[in-house]
Amino acid sequence: MTRVTFVGAGSVVFTRQLVADLVRFDDLDLDLVLFDVDERRLRVADGTARQVAERLGGHRGKVSVTSTTDRRRALADTDFVVDMVQVGGIEATRHDLEIPARYGLRQTIGDTTGVGGVFRALRTFPFLSALAADVRDVAPGAVVLNYTNPMAMNVWWLHVVAPELTTLGLCHSVYWTAHDLAELVAVPVEETRFRAAGVNHQSWLLEWTHHGRDLYPALRERIAADPELGRRVRVEVFRRIGYYPTETSEHSSEYLPWFLRSDEQVERFRLRPSEYLDISEANVGEFLDAERTLATGGTLALEDGATEYAPQVIHSLVTGTPREVHANVVNHGLVDNLPAGCVVEVPTLVDGHGVHPVPMGSLPVQAAALNRPYVSVAELTVEAARTGDPRLVRQAVLMDPNASSTLTPEEVWRMCDDLVLAHGDLLPEPLRATVSPTAL
């Protein structure tokens, strides 16, 4: 049987979808192992996985489900590790958004780059180091499939601490961008071909065709016919850069200096600063709904079809079925005009012989230019954790276009001190130090 270990399985709704997508593959015999440190969430995840397995795979009896709060036990002899841990939970997310807001720095999601991404990474890295050590010890051949944000920083860190592991960062943003755009120009997404490259949440749709016909002209016509589309961040980026970015307008707005710096821009582009707090509260509500449904013997809602990449990757590696997905991997000759060793998002072929990222050559120069500040923030964050130098944390935030468009360097230093104090022992010990904003 193929053993798949879900780390952070208490992300119940996400676990539900991943398990459903896996179980729908009739040619996989599955040993599903759920791990979480939160016993209440783990119980709900266990009940969820068992119901899904029975509903979708009970007819063949080739799916087993076990749960444990012992990480090494969960990982022992596993074939695949699916990581979806959020260190610090909603309270840490609240600090990441509310403390910068007090300084006038707006974020929408705060989980990828910028100050929110930096501090989320720094509290996640110690967990990833421990996870990688366990995988090396008890499942050295396992493939690590990371969903945890900040994606690029986390995959980069895993390569620093465990370069021998096969690690893929998986995100659905490229797929859903192609799906939504196909709907916008009225073509079936399954009839389109799309390829993107760049960095996670800021990749670029470089190829997008329908039966060989370039779809970009149709998109331009559609946008021109609807003025309201022009009030979306992604459309503005497309208008200025010439390639469509592969993440939502909400995410995209906080990676650039153009949108959140003023009330006028926030209103024009219909943005909601700190909206991830509402999303996080809704996620808690979804967990509680699932808990109540299971307690009363109800039936959980399931989405149709296999849409997540992890089940597809697992199926391809086990059965040899060839597929192309988009994955986040270390840049070893994959994107020529982004730094070697950073983490890039590129098309990736997966089959019975393994994982094969596709070299994409050079990005359009303007697209690569927009990616480089994002890469710099990630690089400085990784280096801060590697060296234990707290100044590098502040320098990482200082390189962020959104932060530097809004705050002075002294404000960046003070804001980071406040965040260090708020996150406390969730951060690596050397990085818990405050740093005088005027020290030389």
Side-chain angles (χ1 to χ4, degrees):
M1 297 182 80
T2 300
R3 177 169 290 186
V4 182
T5 300
F6 295 87
V7 177
S11 301
V12 169
V13 176
F14 198 32
T15 296
R16 181 194 313 171
Q17 186 60 41
L18 292 173
V19 170
D21 286 357
L22 274 170
V23 172
R24 285 189 175 107
F25 289 118
D26 286 339
D27 50 353
L28 286 182
D29 298 340
L30 296 166
D31 177 14
L32 306 180
V33 184
L34 311 181
F35 163 77
D36 205 289
V37 296
D38 186 318
E39 293 184 359
R40 179 183 175 187
R41 281 187 166 270
L42 186 60
R43 282 194 300 273
V44 176
D46 183 272
T48 297
R50 290 179 187 278
Q51 184 185 116
V52 171
E54 179 62 28
R55 286 166 58 188
L56 300 180
H59 62 286
R60 56 193 175 95
K62 295 181 180 179
V63 181
S64 68
V65 178
T66 58
S67 302
T68 179
T69 56
D70 184 325
R71 189 175 65 219
R72 286 176 69 88
R73 180 183 171 194
L75 293 169
D77 300 318
T78 199
D79 300 297
F80 297 94
V81 180
V82 181
D83 174 39
M84 42 194 177
V85 164
Q86 182 182 350
V87 176
I90 191 171
E91 190 59 31
T93 296
R94 197 176 303 282
H95 292 322
D96 288 342
L97 293 169
E98 290 183 348
I99 290 173
R102 292 204 292 266
Y103 283 82
L105 177 58
R106 298 176 172 105
Q107 300 170 93
T108 50
I109 309 297
D111 71 350
T112 296
T113 186
V115 63
V118 168
F119 278 88
R120 182 179 280 235
L122 293 175
R123 62 179 184 267
T124 305
F125 287 173
F127 169 80
L128 293 177
S129 296
L131 177 67
D134 284 347
V135 172
R136 274 198 306 257
D137 286 349
V138 302
V143 175
V144 179
L145 304 175
N146 179 72
Y147 274 104
T148 296
N149 284 319
M151 177 67 71
M153 296 191 211
N154 288 339
V155 174
W156 197 333
W157 182 252
L158 281 166
H159 183 69
V160 168
V161 298
E164 72 278 16
L165 297 181
T166 299
T167 300
L168 290 180
L170 301 178
C171 175
H172 41 232
S173 62
V174 174
Y175 170 82
W176 282 114
T177 294
H179 182 280
D180 293 345
L181 288 180
E183 183 176 338
L184 197 63
V185 299
V187 299
V189 67
E190 62 272 13
E191 295 179 7
T192 66
R193 174 176 170 80
F194 55 91
R195 275 186 163 181
V199 292
N200 180 240
H201 288 181
Q202 200 185 60
S203 288
W204 307 97
L205 195 61
L206 301 178
E207 180 182 350
W208 183 41
T209 60
H210 180 234
H211 298 316
R213 175 175 65 94
D214 182 13
L215 287 171
Y216 265 134
L219 177 61
R220 291 187 178 93
E221 290 177 9
R222 180 70 177 81
I223 291 170
D226 186 351
E228 282 301 296
L229 287 175
R231 294 180 61 206
R232 300 303 295 165
V233 165
R234 284 208 281 183
V235 171
E236 178 71 356
V237 175
F238 174 45
R239 178 180 288 121
R240 306 304 172 187
I241 301 301
Y243 292 88
Y244 205 81
T246 62
E247 187 45 74
T248 64
S249 288
E250 292 72 25
H251 271 285
S252 296
S253 68
E254 63 185 355
Y255 310 153
L256 299 165
W258 310 338
F259 299 106
L260 292 168
R261 62 191 296 173
S262 72
D263 293 339
E264 292 78 12
Q265 287 287 83
V266 168
E267 181 178 356
R268 178 184 176 189
F269 290 100
R270 298 177 289 186
L271 296 167
R272 289 196 301 120
S274 298
E275 72 171 275
Y276 194 57
L277 291 177
D278 292 337
I279 294 170
S280 297
E281 295 287 357
N283 290 340
V284 173
E286 288 182 328
F287 164 76
L288 295 174
D289 287 344
E291 186 177 47
R292 284 190 292 268
T293 299
L294 291 170
T296 58
T299 301
L300 297 166
L302 296 177
E303 295 180 15
D304 293 331
T307 59
E308 288 295 341
Y309 279 148
Q312 297 178 54
V313 169
I314 291 167
H315 183 262
S316 289
L317 290 174
V318 172
T319 68
T321 305
R323 282 188 179 85
E324 181 175 288
V325 301
H326 283 78
N328 293 272
V329 292
V330 176
N331 187 23
H332 294 316
L334 300 174
V335 178
D336 295 342
N337 52 352
L338 290 180
C342 76
V343 170
V344 292
E345 188 166 54
V346 294
T348 301
L349 305 177
V350 190
D351 57 26
H353 300 290
V355 174
H356 319 284
V358 177
M360 296 297 287
S362 292
L363 298 176
V365 291
Q366 69 275 28
L370 216 62
N371 286 158
R372 287 191 191 107
Y374 174 120
V375 173
S376 294
V377 173
E379 181 178 28
L380 284 162
T381 304
V382 168
E383 190 67 3
R386 191 187 70 80
T387 63
D389 185 348
R391 286 177 176 79
L392 287 168
V393 176
R394 282 80 180 159
Q395 290 159 356
V397 177
L398 194 63
M399 294 304 112
D400 171 56
N402 184 36
S404 60
S405 74
T406 306
L407 304 181
T408 67
E410 182 170 334
E411 288 170 328
V412 167
W413 257 243
R414 294 188 188 281
M415 175 182 68
C416 288
D417 280 355
D418 288 351
L419 282 161
V420 164
L421 294 173
H423 287 308
D425 60 8
L426 290 179
L427 301 177
E429 194 279 330
L431 301 181
R432 297 175 201 165
T434 57
V435 179
S436 169
T438 58
L440 295 176

